[in-house]
Structure formats: C-alpha cells, structure tokens
Amino acid sequence: MVQEDKFNASASLVGYLFQCRLALLRGLQLLKKKPNGQISIEKFDDVAFDSEDIVDCLMQAKHHCTPKSLNDTSVDLWKTLRIWIDQSKQGVLSSSDLRFNLITTATAQPGSAMELLRPGADEQAVKQAVSLLKTAATESKNKASEVGRTSFLALSDMEAETLLQRVEVLDRHPNLIDVMDEIEGELVLLSPTHVSTVASYLEGWWLGVVGKCLVTEGSAAVPVQHIIVKASEIGNMFKGEGLPLDDPASLGAKEYTVEDEAAIFVKQMRAIQLNERAIHRGVQDFYRAAAQRSKWARENLLLDGEASKYDSDLRDRFERKFDAEFETVAAGDEDGEAKFGRQMCSWASQQEVQFRNVVETWITAGSFHSLADRLEIGWHPKYLTLLATEEETEDA
C-alpha cells in the first residue's frame, strides 16, 4: 500500500488543475481592474499577473484534498518563501506595487505568522510575523524546509519586513471543485441558463492555451482580454437556446481503421464501390457527428424528440431525392445501380441541413451515415439484399 501511494500522481494532478482553474478565475476577475494585463503560468511563479512587462502579482497555489492546518513550520510556506526570496535577489521583480499571494485551501493556524499575514496586515503585524518566522526557522529541523528557512534567516530584519509587507496569505480558499463554481459566477451574465456548460467549454479552451504556454518558448503570457473574448464567443453560441459547435478536432472522434469494415455503414459504401478516400471521409463524418450529437445529449442541450425529428427530416429528404433520380437507372443494370448509389452518397455528403442553429456539412453527412448504419436508408437500390447476401456468406 505504501508503495502504491509513493507513485500516486493524483495529488499532483489535482494541484495542477487547481492552479489552472485559479489562473482562469483570477484572469476573469483581473479584467475588471486591469483589462490590458497578462497572465503567465509557471514563468515567474505558479501564476503571475503583469502589465507593460511589470510583474504586479505572483501567486503560489497550494491545494490539499483533505482539511489541513497551515503553521509557521509548514513545508508549503518555506518552499514558497524560498522561491520569492530567490526571485527578489535576482532583481527580476522590481515593481514597488508587487504583491506575493500564497493561496491555499489550508487554514492558517491561530497565532501563527500565516494568520497575521492575511490581507490588511499592518506594520506591527508584519514585524510580529518576521519574529515568529525567524523563531520557527531556527527551531525547525525539517529537512524538506531547510533551504527556505536558511534563505529567510539570511535576510536582515529590514529585508524580511520588506518582503513580508508584500505577502498576503489567502487561506481557506475554495478547493478545486468550488473554484469552478466561482468561475461560473463570473460568467453567469453570458448565459444564465447554460453557465455550467459555458464554463466547461471555456476551461477546455483555457487548458489548451496553458498547455501551449508551457511547451512553447516565448509564448508564456496570455492577455486577459483573450479570456473574455473567448468567453463571449462561447456564450453567444447559447443565446436564443442555440447549440454550441465544437471544433471537430477537439471531439476525440476516431479515424478510419480496418475494424470499421465490419460496420454496416462502411459495408454500404463498399456495396456501391466507393473509392477509398470517400470511404475514409465518410467514416470521419460518421464518428465526428456521433461524438458531437452525443456531447449535446450528455449536456442535456437537446430538446425532447429533437434528434429523432432531425433524422426523420434527413430520411424524408433522402427518399424524395432517391425516388426522383432512380427512374434514370435501367432495370437489371448492376453497374448503373452502383453508380446511382455513389451519386446518392455523394449528394448526402454535401448537404447542410440545419440542426437547430447549427449548419455544418459533417454533421449532416455523418447523420446520413448513421441512418445507413441502422439500415434506415441505403445507397444501393438493393442494399438490403446485398447486405443479407454478404452476411450469409460470412456465416457459411
């Protein structure tokens, strides 16, 4: 059991997600004060806010999955102070307005320096906090905090006071789940009835942005205005009870594999001798449309019977087109029947039938293939007979 806990990365993952959500929340809040500011992730600190190349606020985010007390010997504290002391010595942080924020879900212990350094601390509280921390740094024997304690003890009283005057301990902070509730609170005016979904979509976009910041050199800063622009864009998708449309690449829909040859909708395309490129496109449309429609359903965005009505509309359009064109096929002409099937499939792949507010070719084409997969339509005039014959051959 101990061995399993040693390699358990769940706490680290929760901490990282907490840091990302916290950055998003603070970014939304910063818009009201400094709309031209920027957010940096793990450039100067866990999270940093700057404007005109001057760092205004550095944040260290500490998340705990269980209730925890923050005292003057806590490793979280000394690791954080070590980082801030090192940065100050390097001269990177020169702004006189710079604030250091320790944001933690833990609770500052009564009578501790951490309690004294909550927002609004006066000069006397800072002096007392310096004294308490120097005592704790001297008496503690914890190896994990040794570097931070040594760095703090090397400061003069004046240097320590100057540092702590900039520090604010924001303890008892909402946890990973509750931070999302606060993000929703910032977004509620964009779409009151779908705020949870808007927040979820915005977070998905934000995680992608953060990922690029972490791996792409020179692009660590994100303008806070980008957040509200994206949030407004997502919110607009829900106005008038509209459906949001995801980027197809973000849906995680699978591409064609040989296993798809067993699917009925693929057999339907094979029956009309469709070329490989068109078959692969059909498979892509099928899975993308299925993924998008499933996501709408999971998020309870579809009205009762809406999906069925859409499919019925497609089936009616198909049957009318089929009946109008089939008269051109000579009886018994197998090549003509296959050609007719290819024309019907090509026609369906180019349609754009509106699904509420969404008009996208891949939604319509993929839905047609879904009907073909359920044998509600068929490209070849004799599709039922051909598929039944193939099934009998496979069973023999």
Side-chain angles (χ1 to χ4, degrees):
M1 189 69 177
V2 174
Q3 185 75 0
E4 290 179 356
D5 289 342
K6 179 179 178 181
F7 296 102
N8 189 340
S10 59
S12 297
L13 178 58
V14 169
Y16 174 71
L17 290 176
F18 176 68
Q19 177 183 326
C20 291
R21 282 187 176 176
L22 186 61
L24 178 57
L25 173 62
R26 295 302 186 192
L28 289 167
Q29 295 170 337
L30 183 64
L31 279 164
K32 304 167 188 174
K33 299 179 180 179
K34 295 186 177 181
N36 295 321
Q38 297 186 113
I39 302 176
S40 300
I41 307 295
E42 294 196 353
K43 180 182 179 183
F44 300 107
D45 215 342
D46 279 355
V47 182
F49 296 92
D50 59 272
S51 55
E52 299 179 353
D53 297 324
I54 299 175
V55 181
D56 300 315
C57 180
L58 296 184
M59 292 184 184
Q60 279 283 318
K62 306 298 180 183
H63 186 280
H64 301 282
C65 295
T66 56
K68 191 170 182 178
S69 176
L70 180 67
N71 57 45
D72 295 343
T73 60
S74 295
V75 174
D76 279 356
L77 163 66
W78 291 110
K79 285 185 175 180
T80 297
L81 287 177
R82 178 180 63 81
I83 292 170
W84 290 341
I85 292 170
D86 287 348
Q87 289 171 330
S88 296
K89 287 182 176 179
Q90 291 169 12
V92 176
L93 315 173
S94 58
S95 170
S96 59
D97 296 326
L98 172 65
R99 305 300 301 172
F100 296 109
N101 287 167
L102 172 57
I103 299 178
T104 177
T105 57
T107 300
Q109 190 176 73
S112 67
M114 296 301 92
E115 182 185 44
L116 291 170
L117 293 176
R118 284 172 177 163
D122 58 20
E123 184 177 344
Q124 184 58 38
V126 170
K127 288 180 179 294
Q128 188 177 351
V130 170
S131 176
L132 289 171
L133 288 177
K134 288 207 169 185
T135 298
T138 302
E139 296 177 352
S140 176
K141 304 301 180 183
N142 191 326
K143 291 293 184 182
S145 65
E146 184 174 6
V147 176
R149 291 185 288 107
T150 301
S151 296
F152 188 76
L153 288 172
L155 299 177
S156 67
D157 286 350
M158 182 174 294
E159 289 173 329
E161 288 176 16
T162 299
L163 173 68
L164 295 189
Q165 282 169 357
R166 299 184 176 198
V167 171
E168 289 183 340
V169 175
L170 306 174
D171 64 325
R172 298 173 294 187
H173 194 277
N175 62 22
L176 177 67
I177 304 302
D178 294 337
V179 166
M180 197 62 177
D181 291 339
E182 294 201 4
I183 290 173
E184 291 178 12
E186 296 292 329
L187 300 172
V188 68
L189 293 180
L190 293 177
S191 180
T193 57
H194 295 296
V195 64
S196 294
T197 306
V198 171
S200 178
Y201 273 69
L202 182 63
E203 182 184 35
W205 166 81
W206 177 245
L207 290 176
V209 170
V210 171
K212 289 180 181 178
C213 287
L214 294 177
V215 301
T216 305
E217 185 176 355
S219 63
V222 182
V224 293
Q225 287 189 356
H226 287 191
I227 296 176
I228 197 60
V229 168
K230 189 63 181 182
S232 297
E233 177 186 316
I234 295 170
N236 286 336
M237 293 193 299
F238 292 89
K239 287 185 178 178
E241 298 301 316
L243 289 170
L245 183 69
D246 291 81
D247 180 349
S250 72
L251 290 168
K254 68 185 290 291
E255 300 291 332
Y256 169 85
T257 63
V258 292
E259 286 78 12
D260 291 315
E261 294 296 330
I264 292 175
F265 78 99
V266 175
K267 291 180 178 181
Q268 288 242 43
M269 290 188 283
R270 291 293 182 193
I272 58 174
Q273 301 164 26
L274 208 59
N275 66 69
E276 289 297 322
R277 182 180 177 85
I279 288 175
H280 290 191
R281 169 68 69 179
V283 170
Q284 182 182 65
D285 288 341
F286 173 86
Y287 285 120
R288 285 181 172 180
Q292 181 67 85
R293 293 178 58 166
S294 294
K295 187 173 183 181
W296 286 336
R298 288 195 308 274
E299 294 172 351
N300 297 315
L301 300 178
L302 297 179
L303 305 174
D304 289 343
E306 185 174 20
S308 297
K309 185 178 182 300
Y310 182 75
D311 288 340
S312 294
D313 184 20
L314 294 187
R315 189 167 52 248
D316 180 68
R317 290 168 184 259
F318 176 85
E319 289 171 352
R320 291 176 185 277
K321 176 71 173 178
F322 189 102
D323 293 343
E325 301 292 339
F326 185 58
E327 291 183 357
T328 62
V329 181
D333 181 0
E334 294 183 1
D335 290 340
E337 290 174 339
K339 181 179 180 181
F340 168 78
R342 290 193 294 273
Q343 291 172 341
M344 288 299 301
C345 188
S346 177
W347 169 84
S349 71
Q350 299 174 58
Q351 299 305 295
E352 293 183 341
V353 180
Q354 187 168 336
F355 197 127
R356 202 188 298 178
N357 59 298
V358 174
V359 182
E360 283 291 335
T361 305
W362 56 273
I363 291 286
T364 304
S367 297
F368 270 123
H369 281 295
S370 182
L371 290 173
D373 196 57
R374 300 197 299 267
L375 296 177
E376 294 184 34
I377 64 172
W379 315 120
H380 197 286
K382 299 176 182 176
Y383 73 99
L384 291 174
T385 301
L386 291 173
L387 291 175
T389 301
E390 181 181 343
E391 191 172 316
E392 290 172 1
T393 301
E394 290 176 352
D395 292 340

